[in-house]
Amino acid sequence: MCRIGAIKSLNYVHPSMALQLMQSQQKGHDNSGFAMVMHDLGGIFEKYKHLPTLSMAASDEGVRQAEDILHQAGFQRVLQWVPETDNRPGLDINAMPNYVFETFDYPKSYRNAEQKVKEDLLLDMRLKLRDALEANEEGFVYSFWPDVVTLKEIGNPRDIGTYFRLWEPDSTFTAKVITTQCRQNTNYDIVRYAAHPFHLQGYTALANGENTFYLKNVEFQRKLHRGYIGFESDSQCFLYSLHYVHRELGWPLRYFKDVVTPLPFAEIEKRDNAQQLKAIRQSLGHLEINGPNTIIGVLPDNTLFTCCDAKKLRPIVIGRTADTVVLSSEVCGINEVLPDRDWETDIYPHEREMIAIDDNLEVQRWNQ
Amino acid sequence: MESMRVQDVTPNDLPWKIRYDAHRCTLCGSCVAACSFRAIESKVEQRRLIFSEGEFPEPKARFSAVPVIRQVKSFKNYCRGCGICEKICPNDAIAPVRNPDSRHPIITRCLGGDSIKRGGRKNLESTVRTLDKLRVGRISQMTDPSLDAQRHTFDMLAPFGRILPPQKLPMGVGPDGLLQATGTTPPVNWVYPVIIGDMSIGALSWRMWEAVAMAVAYLNEECGLPVRMCSGEGGVPVRLLKSKYLKYMILQIASGHFGWNRIAKAMPHMVEDPAGILIKIGQGAKPGDGGLLMAQKVAEHIMAIRGVPKTDLLSPPNHQGLYSIEESVQKMFLSFNAAFKFRVPVAIKVAASATSVSVYNNLVRDPYNIVGGLFLDGIDGGTGAAHEVSLDHTGHPIVSKLRDCYLAATAQGRQGQIPLWAAGGLGKTGDLAADAFKMMCLGANGVFTGKLILQMAGCVGNDQGRCNACNTGLCPVGITTQEPPLVRRLDPEKVAQNIVNYFLAMDTEFKKLMAPIGNSSLPIGRADALVATDQAVADKLQIQYVC
Ligand code: SF4
Ligand code: SF4
C-alpha cells in the first residue's frame, strides 16, 4: 500500500518536511522511490512565479535536445537551478545524470497572448519534449508550468533525500504546497513516469489505493484530451478526471467527487439537485472509480483537497496548526512534523466527504 | 405377408421414437389425451399366442386383439419429444427417445414441398460456447480487497435512453456556485440490467403473457428490482395501457405495426408513460425476416388487439419507408418521441450482423441525440415461428459483435452514449447471471432475454430439437398456444413465482460476481476482469489469454 502526504502552509517550507512526513510511515510503503510536486514556489523561484519552469531528469543528450526544442520554439531561459548532489557511495538511488529545473520566458509572440493560449502552448511543449526524449530514454519531462516543480526518482527515499541534500533545510528550494509519495507504482513496470504525484496544467494528483475501473477510465480519457497520455499508473486517471471536470468542463471542485464516486441512484433521487446528479452520473459514468482509494489533489489556485472512494476507503488524516495544514495517510506522519498541534482538531474524512484547504488555510468540507 | 413400401413414413424416419411398454400400460388413455401434437394414438394390435394344454405338445394358436398406444406415422403429426406423455403416465409406460437416424428434414421437404417452419431456436449442433471459455479471472485481493456480497450495497442499474457526452450537458454554474440545468436532456430510464425481451401477446398465450407482466409488477413493487418487460410486436391489452403498470412496459413497434392502432387510441387515457419504445428492425433468430404468427394462433382476443382477421400474420422484413439509418433515426424522432412529448426513450433492436458496427457508428453520430439504445440480438435467440433454414443458418453470434460495437464506440470516445443491450442465447446453460455479467464486462450495458423466461415457465424445448413447436399453436405446456385446453395447463401464478424467484437468485449471483472483482457498480467495459481459455477468443475480444 502506498502512503501519501501533502503540506500546505502560509510560509514557504522546505522539502525536508515532506521527507520527515513520509519517513515515519515507511513501514507502509516499500521505499522504492520518492516523488514530489511543489506548488507556489519560494526561494530562488519566487521571483518567477508567472513563468514556466521545466522539471526534468535527463542524460546530457536529453538536456541538449530539450533545450534545443524550447529555444527553437522561442522560449528563453531566465533561470537554471541544478541541485547540488551528494554522490557518496552506497546510496540506494538509481539516479539520472542530470536534474534540471529551468525557468523560461514565453516566446515573444506569446507574451501578450491570452492565458488559455499560453497554457495550451506549455502543454504542447511538454508533450513534445516528452515525446522527443522518450524514444531513446534520454530523459523524463515531469512538468513545465509556472510556479510548479516536480522531482521523481527511483530508490530509497532516505537516500534520495541525501543525494539531493533535501534533509538539510535551506531557503533556496521551498514552496507553500508540497505533495509527496514514496513508492514506485508496483502494479506496473517501474518507470519514473509511473510515480505519483502527477501534474497537468496546474493540477496535481496523487492517490493511495487501487482503481479497479482503470481500464474504463483509460479507454474514456484517451479520447477526451490530448494531454491525457501515459497511463503508467491507475492514479493518473484521477488527475485527468480532475483536470477534465474542473478545467475542461469548468465545474466547481465539489463535482469531482460526484463524478468519481457518484451517489447510488436511490440516493440521487432524494436530492434536490437529482437532475444534475443523474446527468453527471450518466454522462461521466466512465470516469467513476472503484476499489479502495484516497486522492489528494492541488488546483491551479493552489487549493489542496482530498477525498476517498465510496466504500472501502484508504485512510487519510488532516492535522492543522495556525500556519500549516498537513494531509497524511497515517497520523504518525503528522505527529512527526506538527508535534505541537491540537490533535483534537484533526479531521478524519468520511467516504462521502470532500475537504478543501484554500490559501488562507480555511478548511471547507462538502458532503456529497 | 404385407409388401414393404419404401416411401412409407415410419417412426424410424422421425426425430423421436416412442418407447412403449404394453405390460405396464393400463390403457388409461392419459397420454393420448395429453399429446397436443396427436403424435400417439390408441390402436388395436393382433397378437398370436401359441400354447399347448395336454401332457404332450399339441401346439395351438390363439389370436387376440389387444389395445395399445402407438406412434402416429406421419411427418406432420410427429412426436416432438416434449415428454408430456411421460410426465402424465402413472405407470412409466411411455416415453420419447431421440432417434439419431431421423430422416425427418428430408422427408418433410419431399412430402410437403414447402420450407420447414418451426419455433424455438437454432438447432445446429454447436461447440463449447464462447461465453463458457471466459472466466471472471481478475480477483481482488490484498491491495484491493473483495467486497462482501451479503453486506455491501451494490448499484445495479442500466440506462435506457440517450446519454449526452459530458461537454454537451446543458448545465452551467449558477450564482450559488452550484451546477444548474440550462436546458433539457434526453429522457433516460435506469432499469434492471436484464430486460424481459420482446415476446408478443400473440406468440405467447394470454396466461403466459399475463404471468410475465405479473412477475414484473411484483419484482418492481415488492422486491425493489426495476425490471422492465418489452411487449413484443402486437400490442398490449387496453386495460394495461390505461393502468399504472404501463410504466414497467417497453412498447415495441415492428414492421407490421400490429397493435399500434390501439396504443395510439389509448394514449389520451394513459396515467403513466411506458418505460420506453423499442423499434424492432431485426431479430437474431431469423435476421432479415419479419415476424410470423401462424393463423392457428390468431385467436379472438389476438384479432381484437391487433385489429386483424384470422389469417397468417406476416410482418414484412423491412419497415416500409425506411431506407437508411438516418431515415430510421428521423422516423423515430418524429413519431415516437413526439408522440410521448419527448418523455419516453426510444431504442432500436437489430439482428447482430457483420454490418452491426456500421449501423452503430451511424447511430452514435445521430445529431438529434434521439437513439436511446441499440438492442443487438444474436443468432442463438429464440422465436415463435420461423423458417428452419433461417433459424439454423442465418445470423451472427452475439459475443464478438457486441464487443466490436463497444470497441468502435471506445475508439471514438463515445462509449455509453447509446447504451448497448445484448441478447441471443444468453442463459442457455441456465445461468443468466454469469452470461450477463461477462457481456457487461465486454461492454454491454445490459442484456435482454426471452426464451429463458419461457423455460422458467416450464417450456420443455431445447436446442437439440426437443419440442420447438411454438409455431404450431399446440405448445404442450400452454406457453405459446391460444388453445384454451392447452393454455389451462399453465398456472400463471406459479409461472410468475418462478420468474420472480429466478430474478432474485440472479440478483444474488450478480453480487457474487461483483464482489470478488471489488466493484459496487456494474463493470461495464471492464474486459480486464475477464480471462479467456481460448487464444482465438482472447485475441478477438481483446482480453487476456490464460491456460
Ligand atoms: S413426447 Fe410429446 S409429442 Fe411425443 S408422444 Fe409424448 S406427448 Fe406426444
Ligand atoms: S414447450 Fe411450448 S414454448 Fe417451449 S418449445 Fe415447446 S411449444 Fe415452444
Side-chain angles (χ1 to χ4, degrees), chain B residues 78-288:
Chain B
Y78 62 98
C79 170
R80 310 283 178 142
C82 72
I84 292 297
C85 49
E86 184 179 8
K87 213 172 252 203
I88 204 165
C89 176
N91 280 13
D92 197 13
I94 189 165
V97 177
R98 188 184 301 278
N99 174 16
D101 303 315
S102 165
R103 297 175 63 241
H104 191 246
I106 298 164
I107 57 169
T108 310
R109 289 181 173 100
C110 293
L111 298 176
D114 195 4
S115 83
I116 299 178
K117 294 176 206 65
R118 60 174 175 82
R121 69 283 280 157
K122 175 171 75 104
N123 274 182
L124 277 191
E125 201 186 319
S126 57
T127 51
V128 180
R129 297 184 323 147
T130 304
L131 285 170
D132 294 329
K133 293 177 180 163
L134 304 180
R135 296 285 183 277
V136 179
R138 187 240 174 251
I139 306 303
S140 293
Q141 292 164 91
M142 308 285 284
T143 55
D144 162 39
S146 295
L147 292 172
D148 182 330
Q150 271 82 35
R151 195 168 53 87
H152 279 115
T153 50
F154 295 83
D155 221 7
M156 296 195 291
L157 293 178
F160 187 113
R162 179 56 176 250
I163 289 173
L164 292 182
Q167 67 277 14
K168 291 230 178 105
L169 281 177
M171 291 203 293
V173 184
D176 54 358
L178 296 176
L179 287 178
Q180 291 180 342
T182 54
T184 50
T185 48
V188 181
N189 289 329
W190 285 83
V191 301
Y192 200 72
V194 179
I195 287 178
I196 298 182
D198 41 341
M199 295 173 293
S200 76
I201 201 161
L204 300 188
S205 67
W206 71 90
R207 277 198 183 201
M208 180 62 197
W209 204 86
E210 265 188 11
V212 181
M214 217 160 25
V216 168
Y218 192 90
L219 283 164
N220 278 277
E221 312 247 317
E222 299 295 327
C223 311
L225 299 189
V227 177
R228 298 290 176 266
M229 151 183 186
C230 179
S231 66
E233 178 180 26
V236 178
V238 173
R239 193 160 47 100
L240 181 57
L241 288 172
K242 294 182 182 173
S243 83
K244 65 171 182 163
Y245 300 109
L246 182 63
K247 63 181 178 222
Y248 305 138
M249 281 285 156
I250 293 166
L251 301 178
Q252 181 167 89
I253 183 157
S255 55
H257 295 70
F258 290 121
W260 269 81
N261 196 10
R262 279 224 185 174
I263 293 175
K265 280 193 189 142
M267 274 183 196
H269 310 288
M270 289 180 183
V271 292
E272 289 279 354
D273 285 331
I277 307 290
L278 185 61
I279 301 184
K280 177 185 149 192
I281 308 275
Q283 175 178 357
K286 45 174 175 181

Side-chain angles (χ1 to χ4, degrees), chain A residues 1-2 183 186-187 209-224 244-245 248-255 262-269 273 275-292 310-312 314 366, chain B residues 138 140-147 152-159 162-169 171-173 177-181 183-186 188-190 403 406-407 410-417 517-528:
Chain A
M1 203 195 290
C2 303
R183 186 196 206 192
T186 43
N187 295 4
E210 180 157 0
N211 175 13
T212 53
F213 272 3
Y214 169 69
L215 182 70
K216 272 179 81 134
N217 291 175
V218 173
E219 285 183 337
F220 193 60
Q221 289 173 337
R222 276 210 175 104
K223 297 285 161 188
L224 276 182
Y244 188 70
V245 171
E248 297 299 304
L249 294 177
W251 294 353
L253 174 63
R254 57 190 302 170
Y255 291 99
L263 290 171
F265 286 101
E267 193 59 40
I268 286 178
E269 293 303 334
N273 58 346
Q275 193 196 341
Q276 288 85 316
L277 293 179
K278 203 169 143 194
I280 293 172
R281 182 161 190 184
Q282 279 168 192
S283 294
L284 290 158
H286 287 264
L287 297 186
E288 187 182 337
I289 63 168
N290 235 298
K311 189 149 282 169
K312 293 191 284 193
R314 280 289 148 84
W366 296 299
Chain B
R138 187 240 174 251
S140 293
Q141 292 164 91
M142 308 285 284
T143 55
D144 162 39
S146 295
L147 292 172
H152 279 115
T153 50
F154 295 83
D155 221 7
M156 296 195 291
L157 293 178
R162 179 56 176 250
I163 289 173
L164 292 182
Q167 67 277 14
K168 291 230 178 105
L169 281 177
M171 291 203 293
V173 184
L178 296 176
L179 287 178
Q180 291 180 342
T184 50
T185 48
V188 181
N189 289 329
W190 285 83
R403 182 79 179 138
Y406 182 76
L407 290 176
T410 299
Q412 303 168 63
R414 289 172 181 268
Q415 59 268 53
Q417 291 176 19
I517 65 164
N519 284 172
S520 52
S521 47
L522 292 174
I524 314 302
R526 263 207 71 190
D528 61 315

Side-chain angles (χ1 to χ4, degrees), chain B residues 121 454 459-461 466-470 475-477 479-480:
Chain B
R121 69 283 280 157
L454 305 193
C459 163
V460 294
R466 192 176 188 211
C467 200
N468 289 321
C470 327
C475 172
V477 293
I479 294 174
T480 58

Side-chain angles (χ1 to χ4, degrees), chain B residues 326-344:
Chain B
E326 291 77 11
E327 221 164 23
S328 62
V329 169
Q330 280 273 11
K331 181 165 178 167
M332 290 170 217
F333 174 77
L334 291 172
S335 46
F336 301 108
N337 272 289
F340 288 100
K341 306 257 182 326
F342 299 91
R343 291 185 311 258
V344 178

Side-chain angles (χ1 to χ4, degrees), chain B residues 3-24:
Chain B
S3 64
M4 183 195 65
R5 282 194 299 260
V6 177
Q7 305 303 344
D8 280 354
V9 174
T10 56
N12 208 349
D13 297 317
L14 302 176
W16 297 84
K17 287 204 255 186
I18 288 299
R19 171 188 63 72
Y20 171 69
D21 185 345
H23 295 297
R24 308 190 70 140

